[in-house]
Amino acid sequence: MAAPHRQSRPSNALFAAPYLVVFVALLVVPLCWGVYLSLQKADLFGLYGYTGWTNYARVLGDALFWQAVRNTVVFVAVTVPVLVAIGLFLGLALNARTRGAAFMRGVYFSSTVLSVTIVTLIWRFVFIPGDGLLSLAFEAMGWPPIGFLSTQGWSLFSVGVATVWWCLGLPMILILAALQQIPGDLYEAAALDNASRWRTFTRVTLPQIRNTLILVATIQIVMQFQLFGQAQLMTNGGPNGTSRPMVLYIYRAAFENWDVGQGAAASELLFLIILVAAMGQFWITNRGNKA
Amino acid sequence: MSASIDIHHLTKRFGALTVLDDISLAIEDGEFVVFLGPSGCGKSTLLRMIAGLEAVNEGEIALGGRRIDTLPPGERGVAMVFQSYALYPHMTVRQNMAFGLENVGTPRDEIARRTDAAAKVLEIDHLLERKPQMLSGGQRQRVAIGRAIVKEPRAFLFDEPLSNLDAALRGRTRLELAQLHQRLGTTMIFVTHDQVEAMTLADRIVVMHDRRIEQIGTPMEIYQRPATKFVAGFVGAPAMSMLPLSGVTRGPLGARLEVAGVGHIDSAVTLPEGFATQGASIGIRAEDTRPDAGADTGADRGTGAGPDMNTGSNTGSGPNTGPGSLPLTVDVIERLGDRTLLHGHLPDGTVLVAQDTGRSQVAPGQVVPVGVDPHAVHVFDAAGRAHHAGEVR
């Protein structure tokens, strides 16, 4: 008997198989493996038996871990709003069908395609004492020099500046795409409704791109919690650990101190923090949006 | 409250392309005017210029005697209903209607009073707290109209507002718009390419074509005395049949119009001396024809009627029935219930549509003599200008 048209068959799953294999091998297995590792005494040579929550206790009792958590949270709390705000500003400024706007979109997006090594190299030229761009500028203005990469407070700030510059392209492009989806007749209706530019922005534009702003913020929270390359290459976490993010702490524990178990435990804690932060952000922005 | 609209020598260009060329038009206070024309004739552009959504290149627009084409859209005192409705999707119906009033600082209780009143009139008072995506097309349409009403504008502008509705709802909304106009008495401009909407709603129709106004007149003037060949062909369904005019002689009522290879039609049209028949045509509406199905004989079939058949008795004001008629070979029969349309061709190949009764017995392939009401014949000269019965030009 012929099978009814459009009936689902088990063999259909084959079409999803290539993706599923990669997904399981590269995401699910490492995730479970990480949890398993965090409960083991382990170094780079092998496993030495189950230790229960010991690794977690050691991580949570480490003052350096809490310093790294604080650094990372501050970093995320500052860079994500700045990325969303500047992305929105650039999106609005470049939302025009002119050649100049198209060119500038390319310019602002270009930094995104650079590798972290190039980005940090460029910003080291700006921040480095003595011959750096800012040093020369300060000297020319007659101001006292600032060790941007070696002063407590300024070092994390410098990493933040480089990060915003590097990561700006994606928020801008996503917001720009959302802005271009807004039907033009809404703006015409607003013009006939005597809405000022500010009222049009707050009552028409912002509500229309709200979901994209939430998406951009969530992506950036997840990304910026994983800060690593810029911090390692620009300041190496210094001075005195004040610009050391959590991933750098994990890297030190696992690959410099060879304590893979502790590194895995710290990784799981980072995973939890990112999850809570992203969910919290999503929950807060969606509150009162049920209609 | 309501106001007249005066348009003086208005021109609109997009780059090198002129879309409106020297348009002048006076709309009276409280009048319902419909801009009618085919796609791309500039009717929507003209409306958008009045609304302030398109810049004016040359000319002036005045509302109630005050020049408005220099003002931003919100300060012109007009309200517009868009084809797509353009409701703010994230606002409730009430917020949609209140937004324009909030922007000009209308007191809260006044906003509530006007919103409730408009919602009641439009029967959308139970939808006030819903958002547009929860409404049907017809309900959205009402909200869009309500949003215009609460502003108490001096003129309403409608840009093809019924084109997204299904046929039944379109008919009902059309009627309601007419009632709304009667109650409010405000000047309304309505853009459409649908002649039925234009005929049923308008006090006056502005027929537009190819950047210009072809004719301004009441629906019956437009229909019965079209100023040009374009208007005659565009207004009315089925379209007016056009026969080539080959010669003019004197007939009992006016001009006797010769159609080469077919015969002649006696008309009550008085043509000027020396009327040039080169490129001229005769216009006949289907309902002004009288097919005489019973007169079908074997003699009529095939070769058709010679010129001598048209010299019969055409007296009084009755149709050219009997011998003085056009032999129509019927190709397609379109039954509309109350009437029947006979689509066919004349011996010279010209296509003609005749109207018979609903109980017509005519069959395809049959040759039917078709009489024409001499008072309802239109003659168009080579430039397309019309000549009707009962006038001297």
Side-chain angles (χ1 to χ4, degrees):
Chain A
M1 202 175 81
H5 182 57
R6 295 195 66 89
Q7 193 189 35
S8 182
R9 278 180 304 213
S11 59
N12 292 356
L14 281 175
F15 289 99
Y19 170 76
L20 279 178
V21 167
V22 173
F23 178 76
V24 169
L26 296 183
L27 274 160
V28 178
V29 170
L31 195 69
C32 300
W33 183 243
V35 175
Y36 175 71
L37 269 183
S38 70
L39 301 171
Q40 300 283 324
K41 181 171 170 54
D43 64 18
L44 287 175
F45 290 109
L47 308 179
Y48 305 99
Y50 177 75
T51 57
W53 298 100
T54 318
N55 286 331
Y56 288 93
R58 281 167 59 218
V59 169
L60 292 172
D62 187 353
L64 291 182
F65 174 75
W66 290 109
Q67 185 192 30
V69 171
R70 208 165 39 245
N71 290 341
T72 313
V73 169
V74 168
F75 181 80
V76 170
V78 174
T79 53
V80 171
V82 168
L83 277 168
V84 173
I86 299 182
L88 177 60
F89 175 79
L90 286 179
L92 291 168
L94 301 179
N95 185 19
R97 296 192 190 284
T98 61
R99 233 173 260 195
F103 176 74
M104 293 309 286
R105 270 176 247 167
V107 168
Y108 282 107
F109 192 76
S110 60
S111 66
T112 307
V113 304
L114 299 177
S115 81
V116 67
T117 325
I118 308 295
V119 171
T120 51
L121 212 59
I122 292 170
W123 283 95
R124 278 179 72 90
F125 285 139
V126 175
F127 286 128
I128 210 157
D131 296 333
L133 187 66
L134 280 175
S135 270
L136 295 176
F138 274 52
E139 204 177 283
M141 300 298 283
W143 295 339
I146 297 175
F148 281 102
L149 301 176
S150 54
T151 313
Q152 189 167 335
W154 282 114
S155 58
L156 193 60
F157 169 82
S158 302
V159 172
V161 170
T163 303
V164 168
W165 183 83
W166 186 33
C167 298
L168 196 53
L170 186 65
M172 178 192 78
I173 288 294
L174 287 175
I175 291 169
L176 201 54
L179 287 171
Q180 290 179 345
Q181 293 294 313
I182 303 176
D185 55 10
L186 287 189
Y187 289 109
E188 293 182 344
L192 279 156
D193 269 345
N194 231 324
S196 62
R197 284 180 78 124
W198 178 249
R199 286 275 288 177
T200 306
F201 175 66
T202 55
R203 297 295 302 274
V204 178
T205 306
L206 275 186
Q208 286 286 297
I209 61 169
R210 183 192 152 83
N211 287 340
T212 300
L213 291 179
I214 291 172
L215 173 76
V216 166
T218 308
I219 290 174
Q220 291 303 326
I221 285 174
V222 172
M223 274 175 59
Q224 300 313 332
F225 260 112
Q226 300 177 57
L227 165 67
F228 174 59
Q230 308 94 294
Q232 195 199 22
L233 294 170
M234 285 176 74
T235 67
N236 201 16
N240 207 12
T242 51
S243 65
R244 182 190 299 136
M246 286 176 74
V247 179
L248 194 52
Y249 173 89
I250 294 164
Y251 175 79
R252 288 267 162 84
F255 300 107
E256 287 184 7
N257 302 336
W258 289 27
D259 193 342
V260 173
Q262 190 186 351
S267 298
E268 298 308 323
L269 291 170
L270 173 62
F271 173 72
L272 278 181
I273 291 173
I274 293 176
L275 193 68
V276 168
M279 299 291 283
Q281 186 267 352
F282 197 74
W283 180 73
I284 289 169
T285 46
N286 266 317
R287 213 173 31 173
N289 192 33
K290 300 274 173 282
Chain B
M1 201 64 233
S2 179
S4 61
I5 297 174
D6 290 289
I7 295 168
H8 289 292
H9 303 293
L10 206 63
T11 294
K12 175 69 185 174
R13 284 183 286 268
F14 290 115
L17 183 73
T18 304
V19 290
L20 288 172
D21 191 8
D22 195 23
I23 300 277
S24 291
L25 174 65
I27 296 169
E28 283 169 32
D29 183 356
E31 203 175 9
F32 198 127
V33 168
V34 172
F35 294 172
L36 176 68
S39 303
C41 71
K43 58 192 190 299
S44 277
T45 305
L46 180 56
L47 189 81
R48 289 167 60 80
M49 286 166 86
I50 298 169
L53 300 174
E54 299 285 354
V56 172
N57 291 113
E58 282 166 35
E60 286 184 18
I61 305 170
L63 179 72
R66 185 177 67 129
R67 189 173 172 184
I68 59 165
D69 57 277
T70 52
L71 300 174
E75 291 173 21
R76 296 191 174 194
V78 298
M80 183 156 165
V81 175
F82 292 82
Q83 182 175 7
S84 61
Y85 316 140
L87 300 176
Y88 308 115
H90 50 278
M91 295 188 200
T92 63
V93 168
R94 182 186 290 284
Q95 287 167 335
N96 260 288
M97 290 166 75
F99 188 59
L101 298 176
E102 287 168 3
N103 290 333
V104 293
T106 310
R108 267 174 193 287
D109 50 346
E110 173 68 9
I111 292 176
R113 189 188 64 74
R114 287 201 211 171
T115 310
D116 290 336
K120 207 171 158 87
V121 168
L122 294 165
E123 296 170 22
I124 50 172
D125 37 359
H126 59 295
L127 306 172
L128 279 174
E129 306 311 323
R130 293 205 197 157
K131 289 191 175 172
Q133 71 260 30
M134 298 164 73
L135 306 179
S136 68
Q139 289 169 333
R140 287 180 204 184
Q141 169 75 59
R142 284 156 185 275
V143 175
I145 294 172
R147 188 168 68 175
I149 291 177
V150 292
K151 284 195 269 192
E152 297 181 356
R154 306 184 73 191
F156 285 91
L157 310 176
F158 296 94
D159 189 6
E160 306 205 21
L162 307 183
S163 56
N164 286 341
L165 303 178
D166 64 55
L169 200 54
R170 198 180 309 161
R172 214 182 81 191
T173 312
R174 205 168 62 209
L175 201 66
E176 287 173 354
L177 274 178
Q179 289 167 343
L180 187 73
H181 178 244
Q182 277 177 6
R183 190 170 52 239
L184 297 176
T186 311
T187 312
M188 291 187 178
I189 303 178
F190 187 103
V191 164
T192 184
H193 60 262
D194 183 321
Q195 48 170 305
V196 179
E197 284 171 19
M199 298 288 289
T200 51
L201 285 170
D203 292 327
R204 279 195 303 161
I205 297 175
V206 177
V207 183
M208 296 180 67
H209 174 53
D210 193 21
R211 302 169 296 171
R212 279 191 300 276
I213 293 175
E214 288 276 326
Q215 185 176 5
I216 305 173
T218 65
M220 288 327 284
E221 278 169 6
I222 298 279
Y223 189 76
Q224 292 178 337
R225 304 182 78 80
T228 65
K229 194 175 173 182
F230 170 80
V231 176
F234 187 72
V235 178
M240 187 183 281
S241 303
M242 294 290 173
L243 282 57
L245 178 60
S246 58
V248 180
T249 54
R250 271 197 73 79
L253 295 165
R256 170 167 289 178
L257 308 167
E258 305 285 349
V259 182
V262 176
H264 71 254
I265 300 165
D266 273 323
S267 77
V269 179
T270 312
L271 291 172
E273 283 296 317
F275 179 82
T277 56
Q278 178 72 36
S281 48
I282 307 163
I284 302 167
R285 289 203 189 279
E287 70 263 31
D288 298 323
T289 60
R290 299 286 180 277
D292 189 2
D296 177 37
T297 61
D300 286 335
R301 205 179 285 276
T303 55
D308 57 326
M309 283 198 63
N310 298 288
T311 55
S313 58
N314 276 310
T315 51
S317 60
N320 297 313
T321 51
S325 55
L326 306 168
L328 180 72
T329 308
V330 178
D331 298 318
V332 176
I333 292 179
E334 203 178 359
R335 294 197 179 276
L336 301 173
D338 58 334
R339 61 207 164 101
T340 304
L341 296 177
L342 311 177
H343 298 259
H345 63 272
L346 298 175
D348 68 336
T350 309
V351 174
L352 178 84
V353 184
Q355 180 177 312
D356 202 359
T357 60
R359 293 194 171 79
S360 173
Q361 299 294 316
V362 178
Q366 196 175 339
V367 179
V368 182
V370 174
V372 178
D373 181 353
H375 294 274
V377 173
H378 313 272
V379 178
F380 302 98
D381 64 18
R385 272 190 308 275
H387 299 267
H388 309 289
E391 65 174 2
V392 180
R393 285 200 183 175

